[in-house]
Amino acid sequence: MRLFKPEVEAQRFWNPYTQTMPRAELDRLHLKKLQTLIAYAYHRSPMYRSLLDRHKVRPAEIQTMDDFVKRLPFIDKKDVLEAQATSPPFGDAQAIPEDFFLQRFATSGSTGVPLHIPLTYYSSVLWGESWLYILWGIGLRPRHSFYFPFHWGIFAAFWSAYMGVRRLGGTVVSGGGLDSKARIQQILQYRPDAIFGTPTYMLYLGEVAREMGVDLRKTSVSYVLVAGEPGGSIPSTRQAMEETWGAKAYELYGIAELGPTNPGCPMQGGVHLCEEWYHALVVDEAGNPVPYGEVGEHIVTAYIQHGQPLIKYRSHDLVRWTDEPCGCGTTWLYYPGGVLGRTDHMIIIKGVNVYPSAVEALLHKVAGLSEHYELHVGREAANDFVTVKVEARPETSAERYGGLKGEAEGILKSMIGVTIGVEVQAPGTLPRYELKAKRFFDHRPAEHRWQLAGRTGG
Ligand SMILES: [Zn+2]
């Protein structure tokens, strides 16, 4: 028995209708959805009612996309935290009764206070569906099986991918509660077609497998599906994963509070905005949309977060958006290179913007250096400065560390145009992570970090 008709199985897009819709039609649809959502949020979420009242804007006044861009305030994580604190867990941010909640997630707040995320049953189906635009696009079908080397915790992380595999009708194989060695044994035993994980963890499993004498290239895994941190759209990182696994690597970029917002492109060079469930702007520090081709902060609206609606939510992620076709045939917005960094990780050295992802990509060009690195950013006089700590590969002899340092510093200087110090360390000296790796260490005073001066929620 088949879950889909053969002619549907053969189609390239999960939803050809919306994925190839002309821009003008997409934008008309966005405006209708935004107007509906703004009215819904205003009437159901005390947080939104008070935010819009404070900014003296009524839902009915948002008549055009320009109104939406110029009149509606941004909202930030701190606004949601304040609204939730009125009556935890969800407080004034909650839009519908808890009876409708299927699941709760939380983020690991850097300040220690977690942000709570409710998910209705319907939202969970659509969160899953967002993954299908990439899974289906690269040829994954109900006959395939999917391995989750993931602890099923309170973080949204790969739960949405699980919802996606359920929506697809694929087979879920869970590696929850196991260590990395036991997971590799399970992969050998269950022979999954695809594996989910962060780029860091996918590469770490390669190290563990080598210690065990297992060659991951000879396993059943043909698809490596990464999310949670940049890497899938950084050519050198993707290549390292593909060489480790003997598989193709694809990315999805999501935002825990909103869901899987940006499925990757089957051509592997970046991610698309899932314009069926999300709207996005990319803005400069004044809060104005930047022209296509330029970099700014990703501001996202979810049409599918009914329990806790978020409109013009500040992701603090830096992306470059473009209307250039990527080659896969969709009309959805394209962000080449995926997430380029965090706004609070924006480094400016002598007037030059330095993106952490660019530093990562260049480090990988130096044979003899591993994928394990940290960026340390400080402030001296009127300038940021960066020191990179990076581990040598195990087969690199310690006498070569000095040469590698010079080579890496030379490449960074010639490609980025500023001086970045490199320290080469022995293998295993930097910490390893199962979910998001901590790579960015900011030692600058707060006033020297990115500030969004546009209309914010506060
Ligand atoms: Zn594409």
Side-chain angles (χ1 to χ4, degrees):
M1 201 191 88
R2 284 175 172 274
L3 286 177
F4 296 97
K5 292 179 187 170
E7 62 270 28
V8 174
E9 275 242 347
Q11 77 190 19
R12 263 165 67 212
F13 293 109
W14 170 249
N15 185 342
Y17 178 68
T18 58
Q19 287 181 274
T20 58
M21 190 178 271
R23 170 56 43 199
E25 269 179 65
L26 272 173
D27 284 345
R28 271 199 295 279
L29 202 55
H30 277 305
L31 182 61
K32 276 190 195 164
K33 289 183 177 187
L34 290 169
Q35 288 171 324
T36 307
L37 175 66
I38 292 162
Y40 170 88
Y42 186 78
H43 292 295
R44 290 190 172 265
S45 153
M47 173 180 77
Y48 260 99
R49 178 172 289 257
S50 112
L51 179 68
L52 267 57
D53 285 349
R54 275 206 309 283
H55 287 272
K56 299 187 171 51
V57 50
R58 311 281 297 181
E61 291 165 354
I62 306 301
Q63 293 286 329
T64 64
M65 199 54 97
D66 204 45
D67 294 335
F68 174 74
V69 170
K70 291 192 179 141
R71 300 206 53 196
L72 212 74
F74 298 117
I75 192 160
D76 203 352
K77 187 169 183 170
K78 71 172 171 41
D79 306 305
V80 184
L81 286 170
E82 276 170 29
Q84 291 186 339
T86 56
S87 168
F90 305 113
D92 282 352
Q94 183 174 340
I96 50 177
E98 288 195 29
D99 303 29
F100 293 98
F101 294 167
L102 174 91
Q103 192 163 0
R104 291 173 177 190
F105 296 120
T107 63
S108 53
S110 52
T111 52
V113 182
L115 186 136
H116 301 282
I117 304 158
L119 205 64
T120 64
Y121 179 80
Y122 186 54
S123 299
S124 78
V125 173
L126 302 184
W127 275 38
E129 186 137 334
S130 197
W131 273 93
L132 290 195
Y133 299 105
I134 180 63
L135 299 185
W136 190 274
I138 58 176
L140 287 161
R141 296 294 182 267
R143 64 180 175 276
H144 291 116
S145 62
F146 297 80
Y147 190 70
F148 287 83
F150 169 55
H151 297 303
W152 300 89
I154 194 75
F155 303 136
F158 289 93
W159 276 103
S160 65
Y162 163 76
M163 292 158 188
V165 173
R166 285 190 60 150
R167 179 79 180 93
L168 177 69
T171 307
V172 172
V173 185
S174 167
L178 298 177
D179 67 13
S180 299
K181 279 188 179 151
R183 285 168 172 169
I184 287 165
Q185 295 293 357
Q186 263 197 341
I187 289 168
L188 297 172
Q189 186 187 356
Y190 287 100
R191 304 188 46 77
D193 300 293
I195 186 168
F196 291 97
T198 58
T200 307
Y201 191 58
M202 290 298 98
L203 291 169
Y204 177 65
L205 281 180
E207 285 183 22
V208 176
R210 272 192 291 279
E211 280 166 25
M212 293 167 69
V214 173
D215 185 350
L216 292 178
R217 291 173 299 176
K218 295 190 177 140
T219 64
S220 55
V221 174
S222 319
Y223 300 87
V224 173
L225 305 163
V226 294
E229 59 184 20
S233 297
I234 300 174
S236 48
T237 308
R238 185 173 68 240
Q239 195 185 344
M241 290 190 284
E242 293 188 332
E243 280 167 8
T244 299
W245 286 88
K248 296 285 270 181
Y250 298 93
E251 162 167 62
L252 179 140
Y253 148 51
I255 301 165
E257 301 88 317
L258 306 176
T261 54
N262 294 73
C265 175
M267 313 298 283
Q268 297 179 293
V271 299
H272 289 284
L273 177 70
C274 172
E275 296 205 41
E276 196 153 349
W277 312 135
Y278 301 95
H279 176 268
L281 297 167
V282 178
V283 304
D284 59 21
E285 278 189 280
N288 299 316
V290 298
Y292 285 139
E294 291 186 13
V295 177
E297 180 172 347
H298 196 207
I299 305 289
V300 188
T301 299
Y303 300 136
I304 57 172
Q305 257 317 46
H306 312 106
Q308 183 172 270
L310 292 172
I311 304 167
K312 289 179 76 170
Y313 187 67
R314 293 192 54 192
S315 70
H316 294 264
D317 289 323
L318 293 171
V319 297
R320 183 190 308 278
W321 66 353
T322 174
D323 56 353
E324 303 264 317
C326 59
C328 81
T330 185
T331 49
W332 287 358
L333 280 173
Y334 182 53
Y335 307 162
V339 174
L340 305 175
R342 297 280 294 166
T343 52
D344 39 4
H345 294 177
M346 174 80 96
I347 311 162
I348 302 173
I349 304 174
K350 296 184 178 157
V352 176
N353 286 334
V354 178
Y355 300 108
S357 58
V359 175
E360 173 173 337
L362 292 172
L363 286 177
H364 289 309
K365 289 188 185 291
V366 183
L369 293 181
S370 79
E371 63 277 5
H372 300 289
Y373 74 96
E374 290 179 352
L375 289 183
H376 290 262
V377 184
R379 186 90 180 165
E380 212 173 57
N383 262 311
D384 293 343
F385 68 92
V386 182
T387 308
V388 182
K389 295 183 181 178
V390 57
E391 283 182 15
R393 302 192 72 83
E395 63 272 17
T396 309
S397 73
E399 295 88 77
R400 286 195 54 216
Y401 289 6
L404 290 175
K405 169 187 164 73
E407 192 183 335
E409 287 177 346
I411 287 180
L412 291 168
K413 173 88 185 173
S414 69
M415 299 303 288
I416 300 179
V418 293
T419 301
I420 292 174
V422 175
E423 290 174 17
V424 178
Q425 305 191 341
T429 48
L430 296 175
R432 300 293 191 266
Y433 304 86
E434 184 171 312
L435 281 172
K436 285 172 195 279
K438 181 164 172 54
R439 301 207 183 282
F440 194 91
F441 296 81
D442 202 340
H443 311 287
R444 295 173 296 183
E447 67 270 23
H448 293 300
R449 301 174 192 173
W450 167 281
Q451 308 279 346
L452 185 66
R455 302 186 65 163
T456 59

